[in-house]
């Protein structure tokens, strides 16, 4: 039985037993600021377990994407070495929200493993919490296990809690004895041994208590079930192999990597570890990038970068010379897109992100090797590289510590690993603080509670005006009966589009015969509750009464133009820049549109013009914009683009511009492209590594922008005494004239510096046989100081030159040393000591160095101290 079949059979089994199969949530947790990544199947149901929301079903089953590579779940260094550690894995789980409890959970688990998977019952045993007599009795009396195969264990192993307080309860784990040929092989090996012989397969959590701050356990009115079983682990048992990497979930990836590297897997244990590391890390990289995480130097992006660069480092160990990791990730997409269909559309983008990081890492290695040479020189006295320097090389430049270890050992150096670990611990504490709030902000309980029982029928696609009733009013975090002042109104039906998918929420009015409520923003909570936020301008609107809700027509129509334009822009970017382009974020308002996309170079002026022409040509064709509903799989197979960060149900809305673009989108759009009128790009810039941002306007806003630009050109022409057609030529001529003036001023400055140095050479002295010139110049900038030092040093032919000046209130020093003198004294050492007197610092090469100071009053004292400083340094 293949791993893919096991996944399918698990979901089908629980579907047959009344469970709703829920798709995997994103690896970026929604509405949970406590998590770095989704690390368990229950994450997406957390508020349901906490009673903060209810769902339309009480039983669910999932195959959840999970990443455990940060925070307390950080076993990165063990991945590839052991048979079970992974950064990414798939967690199978079934859940009950106040429906069935221990009996059914245990029966489901046992039946699936023994009947559906065919595992031998006589090789399995279970563990229960010490005090859980109920679970013990179910295993014995209902399932029929011998009491010797039901082990009672303590809180550490068999009691689960969501936190220090809140829902908790005992759990029961199902284990299997894989036989004497597996595990540690020690005579004393038993069921409590940590080796792989007695393997935990499935954890069944019985959430039946509420733990208070004082530790008191109070029974929950509706106990729930949360289970978790790793797909990779159960597959290894079903396929009777001793390592997850030996299953068919990994073997095709391992074989592909080995083929790329020209390595026969199994022939070299050390190289095999590298192959396994790359295989595991390619899966986590593929899915993290697919869920919108990009490599960076902080938060989630920092963890991803570590994973990617660790894989690339192991690629070097396998002998890969150039980029290779993007090919492995492309293979993972093709291998796993059968279940995770959304990967197929994201393949070009994933490949581009990984390729870019490989190129960046290659540059990092080059920079790192140069820095290592400096560190070897710095620490040559004791031949131990400090923990601080190791950490800086690792954290700032991403240079692998294992590679540094190899280089250091070859050079006869050691590493201060204790100091490095201390720096790492300090960094981890900083990292925790940086990602503790990286999830979405917590929604107030009142909105979650109301969203569990209220649903608003959205009618805004077809009408901008609706007669409806007030379902609820929220003010200051509580439900009230009257809308007074600033508050939120929930309607039974609403034409107001709630903010989402990058589109801003509608504005407008809610009215009765005696009251007016101005709506400034519409928002959505849960599966379908829409709130209208605003302020009561006249009278009072009461819960339950009939009202007229009307959207600001002008604002909505302008928003529709901008939203459809983003779809046209998205496709135009792909046609002009390449298929790898994918939306990375957007904002659509009545005034303008902002579109973020993945691309690794500035968009040229020529490309901008082609993009603009492509969009406007589709607008001119006045093509119909159709909106249809279909299943998610049908939409993806038809080529519809799914967007990062968006959640899609089983049925999706597809917005299509015939023969041009096809996207999954719930937003508001024009009926025909001609309704947009005119499209004008406003700006293009970088907003993050590999992410560009375009801003544009449409309709009358685009006309106004073009008119303003035309007016600006005409004003410039008037000031330059030129025609609008010749403005660029006149600007270029003026710019060249200014450059010539600057060059003339520089030549004049050089002559002054030369004459000054010539006059000051007579003040040079001799210190321990070294000629020394130390002077000050008035109001000289950095370039003037350099020029003076170069000129004076050339004329002296041998010796040291130090010059200081105050320019714009800042102290600056420059020092030059001739080649024949560098063996006795270095410019960087001199200028560093001089700058200290002026409360500054600096340094540089042995022949030329610069420094700055904070105290202009100390300039004279600093220059006067140069002879004694040079004398001391010469020794």
């Amino acid at each position: 039985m293949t791993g893919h079949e096991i996944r399918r059979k698990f979901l089908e089994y629980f579907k047959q037993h009344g469970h709703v199969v829920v798709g995997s949530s994103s690896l970026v947790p929604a509405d949970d600021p406590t998590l770095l990544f989704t690390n368990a199947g229950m994450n997406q149901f957390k508020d349901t377990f906490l009673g903060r929301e209810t769902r339309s079903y009480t039983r669910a089953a999932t195959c959840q994407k999970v990443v455990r590579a940060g925070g307390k779940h950080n076993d990165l260094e063990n991945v590839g070495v052991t048979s079970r550690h992974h950064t990414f894995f798939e967690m199978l789980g079934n859940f009950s929200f106040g429906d069935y409890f221990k009996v059914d959970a245990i029966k489901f688990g046992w039946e699936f493993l023994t009947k559906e998977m065919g595992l031998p019952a006589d090789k399995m045993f279970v563990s229960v919490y010490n005090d859980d007599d109920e679970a013990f009795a179910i295993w014995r009396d209902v399932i029929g296990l011998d009491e010797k195969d039901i082990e009672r264990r303590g809180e550490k192993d068999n009691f689960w809690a969501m936190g220090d307080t809140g829902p908790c309860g005992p759990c029961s784990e199902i284990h299997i004895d894989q036989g004497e040929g597996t595990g540690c092989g020690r005579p004393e090996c038993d069921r409590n041994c940590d080796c792989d012989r007695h393997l935990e397969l499935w954890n069944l959590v019985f959430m039946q208590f509420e733990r208070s701050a004082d530790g008191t356990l109070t029974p929950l009115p509706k106990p729930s079930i949360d289970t978790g079983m790793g797909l990779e682990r159960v597959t290894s048992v079903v396929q009777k192999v001793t390592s997850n990497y030996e299953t068919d979930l990994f073997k095709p990836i391992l074989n592909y990597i080995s083929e790329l590297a020209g390595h026969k897997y199994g022939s070299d244990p050390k190289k095999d570890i590298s192959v396994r590391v790359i295989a595991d890390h390619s899966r986590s990289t593929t899915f993290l990038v697919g869920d919108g995480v990009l490599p960076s130097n902080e938060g989630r992006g920092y963890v991803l970068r570590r994973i990617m660069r660790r894989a690339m480092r192991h690629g070097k160990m396998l002998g890969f010379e150039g980029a290779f990791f993007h090919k492995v990730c492309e293979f993972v997409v093709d291998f796993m897109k059968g279940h995770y269909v959304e990967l197929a559309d994201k393949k070009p983008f994933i490949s581009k992100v990984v390729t870019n990081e490989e190129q960046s890492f290659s540059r990092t290695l080059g920079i790192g090797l140069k820095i290592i040479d400096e560190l070897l020189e710095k620490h040559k006295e004791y031949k131990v590289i400090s923990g601080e320097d190791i950490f800086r090389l690792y954290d700032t430049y991403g240079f692998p510590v294992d590679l540094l270890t190899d280089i250091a050992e070859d050079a006869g150096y050691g590493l201060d690993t204790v100091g490095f670990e201390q720096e790492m611990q300090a960094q981890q504490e900083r990292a925790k603080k940086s990602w503790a709030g990286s999830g979405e902000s917590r929604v107030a309980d009142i909105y979650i509670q109301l969203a569990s029982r209220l649903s608003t029928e959205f009618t805004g696609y077809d009408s901008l005006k609706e007669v409806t009733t007030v379902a609820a009013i929220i003010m200051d975090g509580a439900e009230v009966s009257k809308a007074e002042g600033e508050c939120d109104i929930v309607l039974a039906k609403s034409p107001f589009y709630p903010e989402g998918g990058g589109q801003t929420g509608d504005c407008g009015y809610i009215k009765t015969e005696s009251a007016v409520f101005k709506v400034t923003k519409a928002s959505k909570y849960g599966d379908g509750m829409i709130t209208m936020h605003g302020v009561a301008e006249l009278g009072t609107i009461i819960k339950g009464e009939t009202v007229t809700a009307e959207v600001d027509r002008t604002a909505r129509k302008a928003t529709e133009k901008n939203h459809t334009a983003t779809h046209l822009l998205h496709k135009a970017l792909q046609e002009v820049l390449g298929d790898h382009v994918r939306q990375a974020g957007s904002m659509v308002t009545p005034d303008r549109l902002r579109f973020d996309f993945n691309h690794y170079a500035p968009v040229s002026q020529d490309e901008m013009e082609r993009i603009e022409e492509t969009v406007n040509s589709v607008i001119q064709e006045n093509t119909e914009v159709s909106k249809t509903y279909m299943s998610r799989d049908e939409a993806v197979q038809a080529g519809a683009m799914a967007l990062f960060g968006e959640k899609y149900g089983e049925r999706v809305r597809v917005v299509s511009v015939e023969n041009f673009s096809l996207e999954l989108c719930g937003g508001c759009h024009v009926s025909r492209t001609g309704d947009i009128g005119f499209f004008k790009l406003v700006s293009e810039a970088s907003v993050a590594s590999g992410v560009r941002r375009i801003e544009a306007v449409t309709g009358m806003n685009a006309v106004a922008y073009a008119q303003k630009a035309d007016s600006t050109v005409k004003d410039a022409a008037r000031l330059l005494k030129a025609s609008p057609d010749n403005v660029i030529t006149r600007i270029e001529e003026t710019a060249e004239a200014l450059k010539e003036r600057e060059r003339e001023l520089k030549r004049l400055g050089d002559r002054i510096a030369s004459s000054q140095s010539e006059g000051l050479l007579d003040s040079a002295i001799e210190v321990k046989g070294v000629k020394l010139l130390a002077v000050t110049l008035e109001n000289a900038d950095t370039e003037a100081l350099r020029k003076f030092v170069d000129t004076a040093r050339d004329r002296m032919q041998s010796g040291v030159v130090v010059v200081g000046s105050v320019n714009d209130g800042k102290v600056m020093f420059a020092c030059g040393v001739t080649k024949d003198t560098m063996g006795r004294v270095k410019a960087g050492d001199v200028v560093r000591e001089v700058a200290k007197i002026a409360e500054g610092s600096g340094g540089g090469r042995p022949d030329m160095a610069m420094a700055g100071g904070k105290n202009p009053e100390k300039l004279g004292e600093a220059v006067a101290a140069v002879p004694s400083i040079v004398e001391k340094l010469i020794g």
Side-chain angles (χ1 to χ4, degrees), residues 605-664:
Q605 182 61 35
D606 176 66
E607 290 169 333
M608 292 280 281
E609 290 174 359
R610 287 163 56 199
I611 291 164
E612 202 172 71
E613 289 169 3
T614 300
V615 173
N616 278 307
S617 67
V618 179
I619 292 173
Q620 292 300 311
E621 290 169 6
N622 197 25
T623 307
E624 180 184 2
V625 181
S626 65
K627 303 95 177 176
T628 56
Y629 288 87
M630 61 182 72
S631 74
R632 181 179 59 189
D633 290 350
E634 286 174 341
V636 172
Q637 289 169 6
M641 287 188 287
L643 306 182
F644 288 136
E646 292 300 306
K647 294 181 180 179
Y648 300 104
E650 287 304 313
R651 288 195 63 74
V652 294
R653 183 169 180 261
V654 180
V655 176
S656 171
V657 177
E658 189 176 359
N659 298 322
F660 192 71
S661 83
L662 191 69
E663 290 193 21
L664 306 185

Side-chain angles (χ1 to χ4, degrees), residues 407-619:
I407 295 171
E409 287 180 354
D410 290 344
Y413 282 63
L415 300 182
D416 175 17
T417 55
V418 174
F420 172 68
E421 289 299 328
Q422 291 173 344
E423 293 287 343
M424 282 293 292
Q425 289 175 9
Q427 191 277 340
Q428 287 167 4
E429 290 301 318
R430 293 192 297 271
K432 286 179 182 178
K433 293 177 182 178
S434 74
W435 65 255
S438 60
E440 295 178 16
S441 59
R442 173 61 68 185
V443 175
D445 285 352
I446 184 64
Y447 295 94
I448 295 176
Q449 291 164 6
L450 285 175
S452 296
R453 59 182 177 84
L454 295 179
S455 181
T456 306
E457 180 184 347
F458 175 63
T459 60
Y461 289 141
D462 304 314
S463 173
L464 299 183
K465 189 174 183 179
E466 184 71 49
V467 177
T468 182
T469 57
V470 177
I473 301 171
I474 305 165
M475 181 184 293
D476 297 330
E479 188 176 4
V480 296
S481 60
K482 298 179 180 180
E484 298 174 313
E486 188 176 354
C487 59
D488 291 287
I489 292 178
V490 182
L491 301 175
K493 294 182 178 181
S494 173
F496 289 89
Y497 181 84
E499 182 175 348
Q503 180 177 324
T504 187
D506 280 331
C507 57
Y509 290 92
I510 298 172
K511 300 177 181 178
T512 66
E513 291 183 359
S514 59
V516 176
F517 182 86
K518 183 178 181 180
V519 177
T520 57
K521 183 178 71 172
S523 304
K524 182 180 178 181
Y525 296 92
D527 291 333
M529 185 183 82
I530 300 174
T531 65
M532 273 57 68
H533 180 80
V535 61
E537 291 190 332
L538 177 68
T540 303
I541 291 177
I542 301 171
K543 178 182 176 181
E545 75 175 319
T546 300
V547 297
T548 299
E550 187 169 2
V551 175
D552 183 321
R553 182 179 182 83
T554 302
R556 165 67 86 81
K557 291 303 178 184
T559 301
E560 289 176 351
K561 293 175 182 178
N562 285 333
H563 201 153
T564 305
T566 63
H567 286 218
L568 303 184
L569 173 60
H570 194 176
K571 185 62 177 178
L573 285 166
Q574 292 176 337
E575 288 191 355
V576 174
L577 303 180
D579 288 339
H580 66 276
V581 170
R582 288 294 182 275
Q583 179 175 332
S586 69
M587 184 179 74
V588 179
T589 71
D591 300 324
R592 63 175 51 208
L593 67 92
R594 187 182 75 201
F595 191 83
D596 296 347
F597 59 99
N598 306 102
H599 190 56
Y600 291 91
V603 183
S604 69
Q605 182 61 35
D606 176 66
E607 290 169 333
M608 292 280 281
E609 290 174 359
R610 287 163 56 199
I611 291 164
E612 202 172 71
E613 289 169 3
T614 300
V615 173
N616 278 307
S617 67
V618 179
I619 292 173

Side-chain angles (χ1 to χ4, degrees), residues 221-247:
K222 290 186 177 181
S224 297
I225 293 294
D226 161 27
T227 83
M229 173 170 62
L231 173 63
E232 292 80 2
R233 182 170 295 196
V234 70
T235 300
S236 72
V237 173
V238 171
Q239 295 181 357
K240 298 180 181 179
V241 294
T242 58
S243 166
N244 293 354
Y245 293 100
E246 295 176 31
T247 69

Side-chain angles (χ1 to χ4, degrees), residues 284-360:
S284 54
T285 296
T286 298
F287 280 91
L288 282 171
V289 175
D291 278 347
V293 181
L294 294 175
S296 67
N297 289 328
E298 59 185 15
R300 296 182 178 111
Y302 176 73
V303 177
L304 172 60
R305 174 161 281 168
R306 283 192 64 198
I307 290 171
M308 296 174 74
R309 292 191 168 186
R310 185 168 186 262
M312 294 167 195
R313 163 64 181 138
H314 277 273
K316 298 292 183 187
M317 295 165 67
L318 276 178
F320 286 111
E321 292 297 331
F324 76 97
F325 192 47
H326 66 285
K327 297 178 183 177
V328 184
C329 292
E330 289 172 359
F331 182 87
V332 171
V333 170
D334 293 335
F335 180 59
M336 302 190 73
K337 68 183 180 183
H339 180 72
Y340 299 101
V341 293
E342 69 276 8
L343 284 178
D345 181 57
K346 298 171 183 175
K347 181 178 177 180
F349 167 63
I350 293 169
S351 179
K352 191 70 176 179
V353 170
V354 177
T355 300
N356 185 69
E357 187 64 17
E358 287 191 280
Q359 293 169 348
S360 175

Side-chain angles (χ1 to χ4, degrees), residues 18 49 52 95 138 142 168 171 182 223 242 278 394 436 441 450 500 530 541 586 659 683 807:
F49 283 126
R52 303 177 80 229
F95 308 90
I138 294 169
V142 178
C168 59
C171 60
T182 308
T242 58
I278 296 168
Y394 169 77
S441 59
L450 285 175
I530 300 174
I541 291 177
S586 69
N659 298 322
S683 65
N807 186 277

